[in-house]
């Protein structure tokens, strides 16, 4: 069975933008959700040092996972075992893994519209059914506990994004807690995309892990640390899923791995690449 999947139009726009730039036109890139700054100087220096001195091979980093666990404790006040993190080759594979390990074919997964188009495309590619919920200005273009309560039948899962792409809106802590309560009561699995954490300037961003420890969280250093190119991702998994999370590492500095609980998208191939406060936006 084949599935019709719409093109990811940002790719075509990016190709056009690069052609115009090569032709001498001045271009301001707005087609992708990525920072205009580069990665932290310390991260680049550490990567150079490792590539110059280490033969690499299949890769895994317990120190990096330990540092990530510390980050979650300091930033969100949640306890995460380092083994609950699985590194991936960018955040998109972490999203695919989270969905593939959580749902069965034809399961319905709710998401907000407007929203990141790759959610819908990925769900379709995996033979799941995206249930797009129109979310207007009154709810700041975000899903709410009230909407999830009213869905009949209840979906198998929901994708939450806070801050959201493309709207940039944030779900307050009280609403995240209410969403978590509804999902527990109705048996809805939560996938929380938190890749834009660290880029909020008017209110704190709360992790869904503060309210639902079984949620799957996708995160990354691509945005807050300005490093989309290394394609290093990770995701945090729920403890009962540990047996399902078998690493699939690739050669070189950017390993890839899987995790079955909460995913996080990330940057660095060595623990020294992590900024001291990875969630803090750089000026």
């Amino acid at each position: 069975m084949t599935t019709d999947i719409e093109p990811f139009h940002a790719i075509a726009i990016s190709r056009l933008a690069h052609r115009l730039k090569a032709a001498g036109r001045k271009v301001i890139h707005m087609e992708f959700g990525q920072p205009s700054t580069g990665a932290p100087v310390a991260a680049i220096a550490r990567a150079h040092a490792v590539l110059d001195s280490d033969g690499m091979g299949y890769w895994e980093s317990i120190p990096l996972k330990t540092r990530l666990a510390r980050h979650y404790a300091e930033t969100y006040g949640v306890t995460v075992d380092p083994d609950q993190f699985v590194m991936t080759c960018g955040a998109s594979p972490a999203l695919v893994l989270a969905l593939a390990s959580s749902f069965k074919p034809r399961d319905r997964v709710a998401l907000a519209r407007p929203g990141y188009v790759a959610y819908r495309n990925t769900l379709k590619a995996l033979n799941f059914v995206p249930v797009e919920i129109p979310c207007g200005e009154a709810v700041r273009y975000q899903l709410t506990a009230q909407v999830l309560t009213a869905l009949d039948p209840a979906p198998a899962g929901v994708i939450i994004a806070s801050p959201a792409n493309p709207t940039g809106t944030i779900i307050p802590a009280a609403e995240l807690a209410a969403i978590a309560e509804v999902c527990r009561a109705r048996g809805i699995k939560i996938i929380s995309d938190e890749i834009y954490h660290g880029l909020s300037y008017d209110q704190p961003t709360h992790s869904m892990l503060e309210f639902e420890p079984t949620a799957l969280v996708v995160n990354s250093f691509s945005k807050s640390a300005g490093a989309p190119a290394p394609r290093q991702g990770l995701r945090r998994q729920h403890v009962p899923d540990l047996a399902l999370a078998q690493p699939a590492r690739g050669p070189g500095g950017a390993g890839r791995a899987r995790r079955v609980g909460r995913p996080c998208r990330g940057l660095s191939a060595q623990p020294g690449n992590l900024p001291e406060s990875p969630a803090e936006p750089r000026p």
Side-chain angles (χ1 to χ4, degrees), residues 228-249:
R231 308 313 304 148
Q232 175 74 62
L234 54 123
R235 134 189 139 158
R236 182 239 183 245
Q237 66 200 16
H238 185 46
V239 173
D241 298 321
L242 282 173
L244 302 178
Q246 298 301 322
R249 308 170 198 137

Side-chain angles (χ1 to χ4, degrees), residues 96-207:
V96 170
L97 178 63
L99 295 171
S101 61
S102 300
F103 308 114
K104 62 183 184 298
R106 307 308 299 167
D107 270 352
R108 300 164 66 252
V109 179
L111 60 157
R113 184 174 184 134
Y116 181 43
V117 68
Y119 297 150
R120 182 181 66 223
N121 289 358
T122 303
L123 287 167
K124 287 184 176 181
L126 293 172
N127 200 25
F128 304 136
V129 179
V131 180
E132 296 185 276
I133 310 299
C135 299
E137 184 179 0
V139 291
R140 304 187 75 244
Y141 311 104
Q142 288 280 11
L143 292 174
T144 64
Q146 182 178 6
V147 166
L148 291 174
T149 299
L151 288 179
D152 186 23
V158 61
I159 298 177
I160 300 294
S162 176
N165 176 358
T167 61
T169 59
I170 295 171
I171 302 176
E175 188 62 34
L176 284 175
I179 289 172
E181 183 176 355
V182 169
C183 289
R184 277 194 299 272
R186 306 197 73 195
I188 302 171
K189 185 74 172 180
I190 299 174
I191 310 291
S192 182
D193 185 349
E194 301 177 1
I195 190 171
Y196 288 101
H197 277 218
L199 298 177
S200 170
Y201 300 96
D202 64 347
Q203 62 178 294
T205 47
H206 290 271
S207 174

Side-chain angles (χ1 to χ4, degrees), residues 46-70:
R46 177 62 175 162
H48 276 293
V50 171
L51 291 172
D52 290 341
S53 61
D54 192 330
M56 302 303 290
Y58 292 115
W59 178 81
E60 179 77 338
S61 178
I62 297 302
L64 177 56
K65 292 181 179 183
T66 301
R67 177 64 182 87
L68 287 166
R70 187 181 118 203

